[in-house]
Each structure stands twice: as C-alpha cells, then as structure tokens.
C-alpha cells in the first residue's frame, strides 16, 4: 500500500500544513495510508487527534521520512538532505526561484513535483492549482489587513453625527489575488479601482463592479495567465503614470508578480511622498513598493504606512491549508496524467538544456 | 472672542484627537477662535499645517491652557491639575468610572462637561452622542480584527478547489457597537447571530438580517438604551445558557457594558474550553470573557484565541476623531441648552447628595 507522508513545515512564519483531516478522509477512500508528522497541523489548528480520527497514523519526522513513498509539503523542507532516494516530494517548491533545489533533489534521487509548474491554462489542471488557491487566500487577507491598518472606515456610514465617505482603494495587478482583494474591499464597502497591464484582466476588473484605472501605456495580451516583465522603457512609463494616479487613493494594494522573476516596482518613493498622511500601501507582490520589506510595517516621514506582506496565505492557515490539501489530493489522483506530471516535474537546468536540443 | 483649546491626548495608546481640521472650519464659522496644541492630531494623521489651513492657531500646551476659555479633549488629561480656575473642560471624562475626578475638578474651580452623561433618549441630544459615535467605530473595528485573527474565511467562497463554508459569528450585546459588529461581519460574508438581554435589542438584531440567539432567561425592558446589571441568579443562568451556545461558533464578539459598573462576564472558562481549536473570542466590553486582558491576545491551551480590546475606537483614529469632533462641535453649539448642559455637568458626589435631598 502506498504511504503518503505529511511533513511539518519548517520555513519561518509558515503556519500552513499540506494535508488536513478532511483531506485524509478523501485520501483514505483511494486506498492509501496517510502518515502525519506529529504536530504538523498545530499552527493551522488541526491537532493530531483530528488526523487520527480521520484515519491517519501520526509519527515522528524520521518515521515519516522512512515509511512514506510520497511526501507532501507546502514549502521545501529545510532538511531536504534527509529525503531518501526513490521518494517523490510534492509541494510548492519554487524551482524557478531556487534553481539549486533541483540539483540537490536530482543528486539525491528524489522525484520532485512542484505545483507551481502546473500549466494553468489546461482546464483539467484547475483542481491542482495551488498558486491560485493560495493567491485567493492572500488577496482576501490583504484587503482585511489594509482595512485594519487604515485609520478611517472602508464603508460609507450614515450616523446621527454625519456621514463618512467610503475609502478609495486601488488594487494594482488583477490576477487571482488582486481580484479577491477587490472583491473583499468591495464587500467592506470601499470604492475600489483596479489596474492591470494585461487587457484581459481589465475586463475581469470591470466584471467585479470595480472601476478600471486606464493608463496610456501599452497593454499586454499574454496567453499563459501571467503578466510578463515589461521592457525598461515600458516599466519607467508605467511607474510615472502610476505616480500621478496613486496619490488620490487612501489605500493601495499591490499584487504584481512575475513568475521566476523580480516583482516589478509599481509605487515609487515619489508616489509615496505625494500620498496623503494616513494612507496605507500594502505590498503583496513583494518588491512592488519602494522601501517595503517582508513582514514589516513602516510609516514614512510623511505619514504613509507601508506594509510588506509577501506570504499572507500562511496567516489564514485554516482556509489556506484546506484549499491546498484539496489541490494535493487532486495532484495525488493525477499521478498517472503524464502531461501534467511531466510539466510539474522539477528538472536540473542541464537536463532541461538536453531536452531542448 | 471665545477661545476653544484642543489638547493633545495624554492617555497611553490613545490616538484620537478631540477636534479635526474639518471641525475647526465649522467652529470658525460660529465666530470662535480655535487654538490647537502642537502635534495634537498627529496620531490621527492630522498635521499642524492642516489645522492652520482650516483657520486654527497652533501653540504649546501651556499656551492652550493659558488662553482657552473652553478646553476640549477625548479623555481626561493626566495633568489635570494644570487646568486654571474658571475654565470649562469638555470630553468623555468617565466620571462614573472615576469619581475622584469630579472632586479634583470642583476643587480647582473647573466646570467639567462629560459627554458620556448625555441623556441619550432626547432626540436633540443625538448629534452630541459621543458614546454612540465611538461605539460605532469600535464595533466596526471589532469585526475586522476578529476576521483578521480568524484562520478561515468569513465569506463562503466557491473556487475550483472547492467551496468554503461561511464563518459562524456570534455577537453578544446588541447596542451600537454590537450592531455595527454584526453589520460589518455580515458585509464580509459571515453567517452572524446576535444576542442581547434586552427585548428591544433583539428586534434590532433581527432588523440587520442576522439570526437572534434566544435563551430561556429573563429579558429586560430598560428605557434608557442601556442594559442594567442582572441579579446574581440571572447572571449565573445567562452564563450557563451561553456556555451551551457559544461552542458552535467560530468567532464570538462580546460588547456588553454596564455604565458605571463592571462589564458582565458572558463567556466563561468552561465555554472557552468547549470551543473548537482556532476559534476567536474578542472582548470589546472588557471583562466579558474569562481570562481576557486589555490590548492583549492570548491563546488558550485548547487553541482558542482571546483578544482583549476595550478601546478599539482609538485604533481607527481618523474615523473616530472625525465623528467625535462633530459631537464636540454640536456640544459647543448647545452650551445654552440648560437641560443638556445640566445633565452633562460633572458634580462631586456630595453635591449630588445635596440635590437629591
């Protein structure tokens, strides 16, 4: 019988877990054994007895490594050298961000399947799409955090003491995270405007009921669901146009990422300086805002709060783990789908070069 | 010309200011001079130039004390002994919570008008009702903070990876704060239930679209818009009934205050122990939840997060100060309304005893 091992996450501040008790129930129905490292779900409020009740075994980390055919994680474990040869590792391994990882895993004889390599345009791939499920959680939390940090109301409220105007919120980047941030800020009653460099995403923004910020710059028509990096001139022009637009907003949420590349700068120091004191800028993309740092909240001399929040999904661990576990269950069910598995398999660069020849 | 002085708040963690630049414009139209202590609005993102632009003078604290006929504050200043005789102090002075304050002010020859003594049932008093305006802000923030602390989604979200159920939120106490917490949690998509010991408030809950939690205990029909303290037996019975109901909720927000008295205990240690790991309990009333402490977040051994948050209005300083300043402007315009002023004037207890004879 195949054993699926669930490792406790080792990355700092990581609160998610790759498998939930609900997910264990689904896996057990497919005839596999599930072995969960003790305490793996604790930060996401899933305790060991809940896994046992769902039909899993609970054991030490060593036991999970020794007895599992397939190991599931959210992020790469920091003791990756302990992975025995012949095992399969499934997770959001970010091989584009860390090319060395592929070499290490290959040298150990470990097969690594990274869900962030999923071809997102295939409809049968959707249930496996962990980037989407986690971006959805992050976008939701981004709107909550921005509302929490802002000193005014998001909604228009009418009271005996007068009426408050709704907050003006701008969301830059309308992928999954941006669209969920738009939806959540709108739920809270803010007046929301969205912006994206991709033409198709502008239609997505409009379909949520938000306003669309139109800049005079070139738009992209990428086919893979991602924005590609702009040329230097395009980026400079966009940055300048955004600096004109940003200061009239109370709250700006940035969600622009480029896969395997640096997140683009969207809000310059000049733009921050032109914003009103009390404004809030939340950088979900990581690197979208001048002076932002991960997991840090700074207030500029001018009174603008800049929040760096590149890993927000982890801070809503129940929702994020529940969605992620569903993606993992779907991935385990698709291991006989050669096209998907081949696309997601992590290969060292020199192997990729060979294939291209 | 009458000078209205605006003092910087001295209480710890207090970010509000009693007068905003908008309020200054309104006051100037009534022919008064406004003198603002330097930096008074900084924590609420109102800088000194904004006050000057609105028509105020800005000066040192000593200058504000020396030149003002009327001093406006949110909370009692910690250098109250510096108040010169003959001045009038207007604020949320909480004389019921601090009876010594009345003695001190009377001994100094200061007339103190406390907005929390306003007779709330008079309709012409509504524009002055700072307890209401601040409770409204606190209730809004309570729902945001609870959503932020909770590990799951508040809304039901349908995605390719499955559907999330909405969070089950219970709001205890349906005064202004409770009703705004209900409205905000509902905006976010949670399934909300409200409870109040007062029969009229139960109708208010139903009118928001939330469910009403019915306990078999006695209901109250108070006429002053407040709940009164229950008898010992009533309180014990309520606590027991709530302990049965609370564990099926993911998030509980408590907002029960008794004016001039201790906030009642609503969520016992027994109830906390019966809640699921990952549940969140936010104590806005202060003392409504076993083991809660002000401005503190603790996680019980069982995995329930308890947040003590008795002064949330201060954490949304723009919205709270804007509403409060409107109340203060209304109060300054009502200083010839003998009934209101008499009700709000702080008197030492021995004077009150004389009046009652």
């Amino acid at each position: 019988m195949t054993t699926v091992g669930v490792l406790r996450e080792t990355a700092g501040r990581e609160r998610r877990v790759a498998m939930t008790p609900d997910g264990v129930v689904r896996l057990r129905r497919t005839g596999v054994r599930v072995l969960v490292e003790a305490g793996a779900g604790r930060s996401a409020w899933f305790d060991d007895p809940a896994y046992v009740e769902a039909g899993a075994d609970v054991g030490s980390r060593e036991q999970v490594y020794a007895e599992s055919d397939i190991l599931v994680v959210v992020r790469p474990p920091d003791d990756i050298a302990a992975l025995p040869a012949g095992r399969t590792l499934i997770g959001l391994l970010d091989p584009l961000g860390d090319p060395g990882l592929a070499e290490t895993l290959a040298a150990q004889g470990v097969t690594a399947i990274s869900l962030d390599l999923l071809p997102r345009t295939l409809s049968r791939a959707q249930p496996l799409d962990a980037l989407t499920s986690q971006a959805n959680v992050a976008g939701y939390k981004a709107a909550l955090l921005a509302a929490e940090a802002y000193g005014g109301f998001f909604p228009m409220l009418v009271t005996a003491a007068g009426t408050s105007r709704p907050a003006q919120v701008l969301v830059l980047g309308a992928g999954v995270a941006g669209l969920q941030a738009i939806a959540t800020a709108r739920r809270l009653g803010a007046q929301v405007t969205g912006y994206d460099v991709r033409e198709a995403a502008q239609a997505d923004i409009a379909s949520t009921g938000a306003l669309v910020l139109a800049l005079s710059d070139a738009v992209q028509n990428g086919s893979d669901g991602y924005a590609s990096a702009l040329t230097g001139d395009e980026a400079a022009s966009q940055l300048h146009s955004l600096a004109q637009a940003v200061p009239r907003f109370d709250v700006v949420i940035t969600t622009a990422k480029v896969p395997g590349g640096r997140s683009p700068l969207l809000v310059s120091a000049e733009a921050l300086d032109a914003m009103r004191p009390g404004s809030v800028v939340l950088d979900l993309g990581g690197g979208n805002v001048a002076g932002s740092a991960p997991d840090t909240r700074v207030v500029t001399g001018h009174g603008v709060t800049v929040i760096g929040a590149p890993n927000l999904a982890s801070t809503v661990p129940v929702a994020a783990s529940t969605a992620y576990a569903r993606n993992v269950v779907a991935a385990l069910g698709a291991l006989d789908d050669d096209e998907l598995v081949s696309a997601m398999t992590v290969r060292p660069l020199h192997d990729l070069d060979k294939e291209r020849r």
Side-chain angles (χ1 to χ4, degrees), chain A residues 246-303:
Chain A
V246 155
R248 66 184 161 90
F249 292 92
D250 302 305
V251 171
V252 178
I253 297 171
T254 69
T255 70
K257 291 190 184 185
V258 173
R262 270 177 69 106
S263 296
L265 182 68
L266 298 177
V267 180
S268 61
E270 172 204 359
L272 288 178
D273 278 347
M275 295 183 81
R276 289 184 290 267
S279 302
V280 172
V281 183
L282 189 143
D283 180 4
L284 192 68
N288 293 158
V289 180
S292 87
D295 304 317
T296 304
R297 192 176 288 212
V298 292
V299 180
T300 70
H302 188 57

Side-chain angles (χ1 to χ4, degrees), chain A residues 4-357:
Chain A
V4 173
V6 181
L7 290 172
R8 189 175 49 75
E9 296 296 308
T10 53
R13 296 174 180 262
E14 182 54 67
R15 294 180 58 190
R16 290 171 290 184
V17 60
M19 189 54 55
T20 59
D22 270 2
V24 170
V25 171
R26 289 171 204 226
L27 286 182
R28 294 285 291 151
R29 279 194 212 122
T30 68
V32 302
R33 176 188 177 220
V34 184
L35 175 57
V36 179
E37 181 181 347
R42 187 177 301 154
S43 301
W45 309 113
F46 301 114
D47 53 16
D48 293 345
Y51 286 101
V52 172
E53 202 179 320
D57 296 327
V58 172
S60 68
R61 192 171 184 86
E62 293 67 33
Q63 212 176 333
V64 175
Y65 272 132
E67 298 177 17
S68 304
D69 306 287
I70 302 171
L71 291 146
V72 299
V73 292
V74 181
R75 301 212 279 173
D78 64 6
D79 57 349
I80 213 155
L83 276 164
R87 303 296 196 270
T88 297
L89 176 69
I90 300 180
L92 278 174
L93 306 176
D94 190 24
L96 296 174
D98 178 9
L101 186 74
E103 312 283 345
T104 309
L105 290 166
Q108 280 176 250
V110 168
T111 302
I113 293 179
S114 190
L115 297 174
D116 42 15
L117 299 177
L118 188 75
R120 296 171 92 178
T121 44
L122 291 181
S123 67
R124 72 177 189 280
Q126 283 190 13
L128 288 70
D129 192 345
L131 282 184
T132 285
S133 74
Q134 303 306 293
N136 189 44
V137 177
Y140 166 77
K141 185 64 178 274
L144 281 187
L145 264 192
E148 191 271 320
Y150 181 55
F153 286 124
F154 264 32
M156 182 179 86
L157 293 181
V158 181
T159 67
T163 299
S164 69
R165 67 174 181 83
Q168 297 291 326
V169 174
L170 174 65
V171 176
L172 299 178
V176 176
L179 290 172
Q180 187 57 256
I182 289 173
T184 305
R186 279 177 53 78
R187 277 179 187 277
L188 279 170
Q191 173 118 42
V192 184
T193 303
Y195 167 78
D196 199 286
V197 71
R198 292 167 298 139
E199 196 162 27
Q202 296 181 355
D204 291 342
I205 295 167
S207 74
T208 66
L211 302 169
V212 179
L213 180 69
L215 300 182
S216 54
D217 308 292
V219 291
Q220 291 186 347
N221 298 296
S223 59
D224 60 352
Y226 287 108
S228 42
L230 301 181
T231 66
D233 280 356
E234 286 170 346
S237 165
Q238 182 189 54
L239 196 61
H240 181 73
S241 300
L242 284 174
Q244 310 300 311
V246 155
R248 66 184 161 90
F249 292 92
D250 302 305
V251 171
V252 178
I253 297 171
T254 69
T255 70
K257 291 190 184 185
V258 173
R262 270 177 69 106
S263 296
L265 182 68
L266 298 177
V267 180
S268 61
E270 172 204 359
L272 288 178
D273 278 347
M275 295 183 81
R276 289 184 290 267
S279 302
V280 172
V281 183
L282 189 143
D283 180 4
L284 192 68
N288 293 158
V289 180
S292 87
D295 304 317
T296 304
R297 192 176 288 212
V298 292
V299 180
T300 70
H302 188 57
V304 176
T305 300
V306 177
I307 303 171
N311 189 23
L312 280 186
S314 170
T315 71
V316 197
V318 179
S321 302
T322 299
Y324 187 82
R326 286 173 177 163
N327 301 139
V328 169
V329 171
L332 290 167
L335 289 179
D336 57 354
D337 185 326
D338 290 340
E339 186 184 1
L340 288 187
V341 170
S342 171
M344 293 190 292
T345 300
V346 179
R347 292 183 185 80
L349 275 178
H350 57 86
D351 281 12
L352 286 177
D353 289 345
K354 268 184 240 158
E355 277 175 30
R356 278 187 194 135
R357 266 177 231 143

